[in-house]
Amino acid sequence: MQICVIGTGYVGLCSGVGLAAKGNQVACVGRNKDKIAGIQQGIPPIFEGGLQELLQEVLRNGLFRATDDFAGAVKEAEATFLCVGTPSGKDGRIDLTEMRQAAAQVGEALPDGYCVVVVKSTVVPGTTEEMIRILEERSGRKAGKDFGVCMNPEFLREGRALQDFLQPDRVVVGQLDPRSGDVLQRLYAPFQAPILRTDLKTAEMIKYASNSLLATKISFANEVGNLCKQLGIDTYAVMGGVGLDHRIGPHFLRAGVGFGGSCFQKDVSALKSLAEDQGVPAPLITDVLEVNRRQRFKIIDLLERRLPVNGKTIAILGLSFMGGTDDIRESPALDIIPALLQKGAAVRAYDPQATRHVRPLFPQVTYCASAREALAGADACLLLTEWEEFRSLTDQDFSGMRSPVILEGRRMLDRSKVSRFEGICW
Ligand code: UGA
């Protein structure tokens, strides 16, 4: 199928490359000429496991191109996916500026024949209907008759985005009418995943409810984890037992420094605002965010119980919000580093991918090329991101520290390799 993807961010690029890998002809539209040139040369603007290799393959096969010719790409497409940013506004509500602009531009460029416009960005219920009004106004044509509309939320975890795209648990197709949905049913048929067809608002809500429930599981695991630590119980063993119940499942029960990333914070906040706007009390959703906010500072409390921070050198291992990505949005490190600096500590930091993004924010931090280098001469170490390479750290790696205060915000270290360390919840 001939596909146009508006947006070259995480979702746009991973979806575009994934659809091309399934044999579709994809044009990914961006505004930034340097970014487009890089993508055309096979260099993605973000670090995402496997993306560079697959991008280069689909470019070689002639199935994928990046372009700034918005109208040209839309005119050729049977389906145009809107994958633009929907960031949080100041009040937690989503900012639809980019979405509205993109819908207007798509409306002006709609092809003469039938095509489907697909909203893939995360948007609150009712937004796709608003986009339909913009599309109709700009095109002078009728949705459901002259063109189709779908809402097709994404469930991509950063660091595993391609795997999640190519092997989804489910595909949700919110449709304006059956003809619109049939186009996406055909597109996703080779993915061998259940395809759930709903109306537009239901699809929009499925995304918010999914992310909010995942965030709730994490905050719940953190509350249980804090209690387990107090009682001398291993919370990972507890959640191992809890997760064996098929009604609960084993995932997203890992306690620690809490969730980061642009999605959970943004989507739970948007759901909270939506509930407020509707006058529907949603205390649980509000608390999920508050538990998460408090959780990230627990590692500093733990540190201060071990040594006075003022004048000390603290090594930070991990800057990105999660392993496998260079994304630092809402990363715990971005709250923890300034708190340490404010308390008079010197900070040495190491991250395999994210250093270039953090350096401009905190130029006073010493950025190191390896964990061992960051640890050299440090009085304490805070491990904040689940990078796989941290699993293999041994006593030898920590031997250059001035004092062996090793604190984990993610359960990564192995007691058989590192003799003394403490976790936030263990
Ligand atoms: C999340 C969802 O998992 C995706 O399904 C969704 O599509 C995406 O948001 C989005 O809305 O775009 P993402 O934030 O990229 O994906 O990554 P997750 O794997 O969900 O991790 C989020 C954060 O939770 C990370 O900081 C991770 O370290 C933390 N986490 C995760 C925990 O603290 N404990 C856990 O048990 C699991």
Side-chain angles (χ1 to χ4, degrees):
M1 199 180 286
Q2 198 86 18
I3 304 289
C4 169
V5 176
I6 310 293
T8 52
Y10 252 99
V11 176
L13 198 54
C14 293
S15 306
V17 168
L19 287 169
K22 289 283 186 185
N24 299 289
Q25 195 75 45
V26 178
C28 229
V29 180
R31 273 192 295 233
N32 181 324
K33 283 193 191 306
D34 290 342
K35 213 166 148 182
I36 290 170
I39 297 171
Q40 276 295 98
Q41 282 158 28
I43 302 158
I46 47 166
F47 173 78
E48 175 65 39
L51 180 60
Q52 181 153 340
E53 295 76 5
L54 198 58
L55 170 64
Q56 292 176 356
E57 190 183 310
V58 292
L59 282 167
R60 255 197 320 274
N61 297 343
L63 289 167
F64 181 91
R65 71 193 166 91
T67 175
D68 63 353
D69 177 10
F70 198 113
V74 173
K75 281 212 181 306
E76 284 172 5
E78 288 162 77
T80 289
F81 285 80
L82 294 174
C83 302
V84 298
T86 51
S88 267
K90 272 188 228 94
D91 53 3
R93 287 168 177 79
I94 67 167
D95 176 352
L96 291 173
T97 313
E98 260 197 85
M99 183 54 106
R100 292 188 181 113
Q101 278 169 2
Q105 272 183 283
V106 170
E108 281 161 18
L110 278 185
D112 297 332
Y114 184 81
C115 77
V116 178
V117 181
V118 187
V119 174
K120 205 169 203 9
S121 308
T122 301
V123 291
V124 288
T127 307
T128 304
E129 284 166 7
E130 184 194 332
M131 296 310 120
I132 292 178
R133 290 193 287 278
I134 297 175
L135 288 163
E136 289 184 329
E137 205 178 281
R138 293 302 180 112
S139 64
R141 297 164 65 189
K142 183 86 191 109
K145 179 172 157 277
D146 306 320
F147 66 94
V149 177
C150 283
M151 199 284 145
N152 171 221
E154 53 86 12
F155 303 101
L156 312 179
R157 288 165 299 175
E158 290 186 19
R160 295 182 195 82
L162 278 179
Q163 182 192 319
D164 286 349
F165 188 84
L166 295 169
Q167 290 141 32
D169 286 346
R170 79 309 206 180
V171 175
V172 175
V173 175
Q175 59 187 35
L176 173 66
D177 61 337
R179 187 180 178 197
S180 305
D182 286 349
V183 175
L184 288 201
Q185 177 98 32
R186 203 155 33 90
L187 180 67
Y188 285 114
F191 284 70
Q192 288 167 345
I195 298 178
L196 178 70
R197 290 176 68 162
T198 68
D199 62 20
L200 297 170
K201 274 188 188 162
T202 304
E204 290 167 327
M205 195 63 177
I206 287 174
K207 174 59 193 269
Y208 278 100
S210 295
N211 267 6
S212 299
L213 183 56
L214 291 169
T216 305
K217 282 183 95 174
I218 298 171
S219 280
F220 177 79
N222 281 328
E223 277 196 354
V224 172
N226 294 338
L227 187 58
C228 281
K229 181 169 174 106
Q230 186 73 22
L231 295 169
I233 299 169
D234 179 359
T235 188
Y236 275 68
V238 170
M239 287 310 180
V242 169
L244 284 173
D245 185 327
H246 76 276
R247 295 169 300 173
I248 299 172
H251 307 290
F252 278 68
L253 295 173
R254 297 195 312 273
V257 71
F259 57 80
S262 67
C263 305
F264 285 168
Q265 178 72 33
K266 170 171 82 75
D267 295 351
V268 181
S269 300
L271 197 60
K272 176 175 164 247
S273 302
L274 187 66
E276 276 165 16
D277 291 349
Q278 297 298 317
V280 176
L284 187 58
I285 293 170
T286 308
D287 279 354
V288 165
L289 294 174
E290 182 52 22
V291 170
N292 193 59
R293 195 191 63 75
R294 275 187 266 141
Q295 196 68 18
R296 43 179 67 179
F297 294 104
K298 280 196 175 292
I299 201 159
I300 297 183
D301 298 344
L302 211 57
L303 177 64
E304 287 187 310
R305 266 186 258 140
R306 302 285 287 272
L307 48 78
V309 173
N310 189 12
K312 296 291 192 298
T313 300
I314 313 297
I316 299 284
L317 300 187
L319 299 170
S320 60
F321 84 92
M322 195 167 64
T325 175
D326 65 345
D327 195 338
I328 58 163
R329 286 175 292 174
E330 303 290 341
S331 176
L334 301 190
D335 280 334
I336 291 167
I337 291 175
L340 292 172
L341 293 172
Q342 216 211 343
K343 286 174 186 287
V347 175
R348 297 168 66 77
Y350 166 67
D351 187 284
Q353 294 293 340
T355 301
R356 67 195 161 109
H357 302 306
V358 179
R359 196 190 293 273
L361 303 179
F362 307 112
Q364 62 275 59
V365 167
T366 305
Y367 295 94
C368 303
S370 67
R372 207 180 257 228
E373 189 188 323
L375 293 165
D379 296 287
C381 156
L382 309 185
L383 191 160
L384 301 180
T385 311
E386 57 274 72
W387 280 105
E388 274 311 306
E389 66 175 72
F390 296 155
R391 280 192 205 286
S392 51
L393 290 173
T394 64
D395 277 333
Q396 191 61 36
D397 296 297
F398 292 98
S399 62
M401 290 179 71
R402 221 179 331 222
S403 58
V405 178
I406 302 166
L407 303 176
E408 266 192 311
R410 308 284 183 194
R411 177 88 149 222
M412 298 302 285
L413 301 178
D414 182 340
R415 297 236 174 249
S416 68
K417 295 186 200 146
V418 182
S419 31
R420 264 195 298 171
F421 64 87
E422 190 180 349
I424 296 185
C425 305
W426 53 94

